[in-house]
Amino acid sequence: MKTEETSEDGMTRVYKSLVTNVCKEMSCYSDFPFQEDYPNFMKQEKFWGYLQEFAEHFDLLKYIQFRTTVCSVTKRPDFSETGQWDVVTEKEGQQDRAVFDAVMVCTGHFVNPHLPLESFPGIHKFKGQILHSQEYKIPEGVQGKRVLVIGLGNTGGDVAVELSRTAAQVLLSTRTGTWVISRCSDGGYPLNMMVTRRHHNFIAQVLPAWVLKWIQERHMNKRFDHANYGLSITKGKKSKNIVNDELPTCILCGTVTVKTSVKEFTETSALFEDGTVEENIDIVIFTTGYTFSFPFLEEPLKSLCTKKIFLYKRVFPSNLERTTLAIIGLISLTGSILAGTELQARWATRVFKGLCKIPPSQKLMAEAMKKEQLIERGLMKDTSGDKLDYISYMDDLAACIGTKPSVPLLFLQDPRLAWEVFFGPCTPYQYRLMGPGKWDGARTAILTQWDRTLKPLRTRVVPDSSKPASRSHYLKVWAAPILLASLLLICKSSLFSKLVPDKLQDRISSYLVTRIWSCSFPSTSNAAIQYC
């Protein structure tokens, strides 16, 4: 199997077949839409081209020092007064020292490959090839071989599917299972654009968490029953999902076989937790994720930054008396990480300039330490590793900046735009409509987002094809949920509670909740433009 490619800078590369799992309108920079002919989901080369276009458009390349290693970032002796940092870098074997007024650490989650060999007894006896997914580039050399992929995240699913086309057999081992979602919603529209909407988010916040979970699971099992495919979440484990359009088909066709976690390895085989044994394994690929660290920072800042609970809104370390260091991209979102990091950076620069304020370090540290103690005592759940809700997090940061769109105000000033903002996809352009950094092209970008979505699809023009986001469509979509939500609120009123028995209340409420959800989210059995 080919695992390396020549590279002038020595950096590793993502696998060649990688395709984005968030569509272009949801993952662009907020003031720089993708070109209309770009595919909605694109290969990594195309996305890299977009980043280059962005840098050239805003003339950013002159500010960037490429192929430069950051050796250390330390506080200056007068940090408490100036907030400045000593930064030591190395380029072509020569070190350089400079003073910076502020620092952004943008290394993200995916820094060091996590290869937990110690968790797999007998792995050192195994005579086949062992590698981490970071080393995987193309499926060369797997013809006729049996491959075991350990770990079922987005990468594990992608690698398993790609290898299944040439390998004799692919075994996919998972400890927890996962929900598998498609890039396409009903009607063929990008799922991100159909689901990530403000009115959906509003409904989700109204519903109890357990009801929301039940409805979502019921909805995801409509495409295929995850239990039948060996993919359902193990009881007691956190719910998670991956984006993969082909994995269910590969399982259906037998080219990928889902297995439980590996209990032990021998020289040529693997024994699984369910007692089954797979013989003659040639290659083991660990898609077990990454760890992150900040080796260039000094203690105690280095250790503190690895604990998300000590990062104010996942950005600012709580222990700094001067807020001149920001951690960018150390987040997991239900939406685009690129859009999230851009908003983080916009906020951070305004904090650096003194245009936005955050609470004093003493208060932040006290709150973080209290939470940590409660978690250690089992009185509070540690949610620092959970994915953050995209719209809620983005709105939280935008409110700090003053760029959160005011839907009521927009309905008064620009009803057409307000309609798209509330009922349409929550695209990054929404955070350029008002406040600092306002972009004059944001309104047009929002009103034309479906044009750019459909442009690369309509390579053969078909008469009378229409967009899914028409006003009449929204009226149909929203009328029923509003009525049903009102009835749900009435069901919870004190007068209703007195007049109607508890069991009947529960049955009515459960029915109304189900109807609200089915009328507000795409159904797998109906076209995308016919929710109710």
Side-chain angles (χ1 to χ4, degrees):
M1 173 178 288
K2 188 172 182 179
T3 61
E4 297 179 0
E5 293 189 330
T6 57
S7 171
E8 293 180 3
D9 56 16
M11 298 295 288
T12 55
R13 297 284 185 265
V14 297
Y15 45 98
K16 283 280 190 179
S17 60
L18 179 66
V19 176
T20 58
N21 56 24
V22 179
C23 66
K24 66 178 182 180
E25 289 301 304
M26 303 297 295
S27 62
C28 65
Y29 285 112
S30 58
D31 55 355
F32 193 72
F34 279 90
Q35 295 179 30
E36 62 176 11
D37 60 343
Y38 270 43
N40 286 282
F41 298 94
M42 62 200 74
K43 286 192 173 183
Q44 40 115 344
E45 295 96 335
K46 201 78 171 177
F47 191 83
W48 172 240
Y50 168 77
L51 296 179
Q52 291 177 307
E53 291 168 8
F54 177 82
E56 292 169 1
H57 176 80
F58 291 101
D59 197 21
L60 301 178
L61 295 176
K62 63 185 179 183
Y63 301 110
I64 304 173
Q65 294 184 26
F66 292 99
R67 302 183 186 181
T68 302
T69 301
V70 177
C71 302
S72 66
V73 177
T74 57
K75 295 178 182 177
R76 286 183 59 78
D78 58 352
F79 179 82
S80 59
E81 288 80 32
T82 65
Q84 292 181 327
W85 301 84
D86 278 323
V87 179
V88 177
T89 58
E90 183 176 319
K91 183 177 182 179
E92 297 178 350
Q94 292 189 343
Q95 286 196 345
D96 183 41
R97 182 183 298 271
V99 177
F100 285 86
D101 296 313
V103 174
M104 287 186 182
V105 179
C106 308
T107 50
H109 275 112
F110 309 109
V111 181
N112 308 307
H114 178 51
L115 193 61
L117 298 181
E118 67 283 353
S119 300
F120 296 87
I123 188 67
H124 298 293
K125 301 177 184 177
F126 182 67
K127 292 185 176 181
Q129 186 177 1
I130 300 172
L131 63 148
H132 188 273
S133 55
Q134 187 194 49
E135 304 172 79
Y136 175 78
K137 301 298 174 291
I138 57 177
E140 186 176 301
V142 299
Q143 292 84 352
K145 294 186 177 181
R146 288 168 57 81
V147 183
L148 171 60
V149 178
I150 296 180
L152 182 50
N154 282 307
T155 300
D158 286 349
V159 171
V161 165
E162 183 169 60
L163 293 178
S164 71
R165 300 187 183 106
T166 51
Q169 181 65 48
V170 174
L171 308 168
L172 181 56
S173 170
T174 175
R175 291 182 303 168
T176 62
T178 188
W179 296 107
V180 181
I181 60 178
S182 173
R183 290 176 174 84
C184 276
S185 71
D186 301 326
Y189 304 106
L191 182 67
N192 314 124
M193 297 184 73
M194 301 303 292
V195 172
T196 310
R197 302 185 174 204
R198 290 186 178 276
H199 74 281
H200 288 173
N201 201 57
F202 171 76
I203 294 173
Q205 290 177 349
V206 172
L207 297 180
W210 68 270
V211 175
L212 188 65
K213 180 182 177 182
W214 177 76
I215 296 173
Q216 288 174 334
E217 292 179 358
R218 189 163 175 256
H219 178 79
M220 285 186 286
N221 270 328
K222 282 188 176 181
R223 180 186 171 204
F224 68 95
D225 191 316
H226 285 64
N228 290 340
Y229 283 64
L231 293 169
S232 56
I233 304 289
T234 303
K235 188 175 182 180
K237 298 295 183 179
K238 287 184 179 180
S239 181
K240 66 173 186 175
N241 60 63
I242 66 170
V243 178
N244 199 300
D245 300 285
E246 300 178 67
L247 182 59
T249 301
C250 290
I251 297 172
L252 194 63
C253 296
T255 55
V256 173
T257 301
V258 179
K259 305 291 294 185
T260 60
S261 56
V262 177
K263 184 177 181 179
E264 184 180 359
F265 280 97
T266 68
E267 292 182 350
T268 59
S269 63
L271 170 65
F272 294 88
E273 291 290 347
D274 60 1
T276 59
V277 178
E278 292 289 346
E279 303 282 355
N280 302 319
I281 296 175
D282 300 293
I283 303 169
V284 177
I285 303 177
F286 284 86
T287 61
T288 43
Y290 296 78
T291 59
F292 61 89
S293 60
F294 307 101
F296 42 81
L297 296 179
E298 58 187 341
E299 293 290 1
L301 182 61
K302 177 165 64 174
S303 297
L304 184 138
C305 286
T306 61
K307 300 178 180 180
K308 295 179 183 179
I309 196 172
F310 284 94
L311 294 176
Y312 179 60
K313 297 188 185 296
R314 306 293 173 90
V315 176
F316 293 108
S318 303
N319 68 331
L320 294 178
E321 61 270 35
R322 297 297 297 267
T323 312
T324 56
L325 177 72
I327 309 297
I328 305 296
L330 196 63
I331 50 173
S332 294
L333 291 178
T334 57
S336 168
I337 297 295
L338 186 142
T341 55
E342 182 198 10
L343 205 53
Q344 285 182 327
R346 290 175 64 188
W347 180 39
T349 54
R350 294 187 64 78
V351 171
F352 293 158
K353 293 178 180 178
L355 300 175
C356 292
K357 302 294 183 182
I358 70 170
S361 61
Q362 297 89 340
K363 181 179 179 181
L364 295 179
M365 281 298 293
E367 291 177 351
M369 292 180 69
K370 183 178 179 181
K371 286 182 181 178
E372 186 178 47
Q373 291 172 358
L374 291 173
I375 291 171
E376 290 175 350
R377 293 162 58 187
L379 301 176
M380 178 183 288
K381 184 180 178 182
D382 184 5
T383 59
S384 61
D386 296 350
K387 280 191 174 185
L388 300 171
D389 177 73
Y390 176 77
I391 294 179
S392 299
Y393 184 70
M394 294 287 281
D395 279 357
D396 189 19
L397 295 186
C400 295
I401 305 171
T403 58
K404 179 183 175 181
S406 173
V407 177
L409 181 62
L410 285 176
F411 268 112
L412 293 175
Q413 295 178 342
D414 192 338
R416 181 188 176 195
L417 176 62
W419 196 272
E420 291 294 335
V421 168
F422 189 68
F423 293 106
C426 186
T427 43
Y429 320 121
Q430 294 193 9
Y431 300 101
R432 291 284 183 179
L433 288 171
M434 54 188 64
K438 178 182 177 181
W439 175 44
D440 292 337
R443 181 183 188 274
T444 301
I446 292 172
L447 297 181
T448 58
Q449 56 198 7
W450 282 109
D451 296 329
R452 290 186 299 279
T453 299
L454 297 177
K455 173 70 174 180
L457 303 178
R458 292 175 171 173
T459 53
R460 172 178 169 266
V461 179
V462 179
D464 299 326
S465 57
S466 59
K467 293 183 288 187
S470 65
R471 294 188 181 185
S472 60
H473 159 67
Y474 284 133
L475 287 172
K476 293 176 183 178
V477 169
W478 196 235
I482 285 180
L483 177 60
L484 293 170
S486 300
L487 291 173
L488 183 60
L489 290 175
I490 292 172
C491 287
K492 293 183 177 182
S493 68
S494 58
L495 179 61
F496 183 85
S497 300
K498 293 177 181 178
L499 296 178
V500 181
D502 291 343
K503 289 185 178 180
L504 184 56
Q505 288 180 45
D506 292 340
R507 294 178 65 181
I508 294 174
S509 296
S510 177
Y511 171 76
L512 291 176
V513 162
T514 304
R515 292 304 301 153
I516 289 172
W517 182 269
S518 64
C519 290
S520 302
F521 288 85
S523 167
T524 54
S525 60
N526 298 319
I529 61 171
Q530 295 176 334
Y531 290 173
C532 295

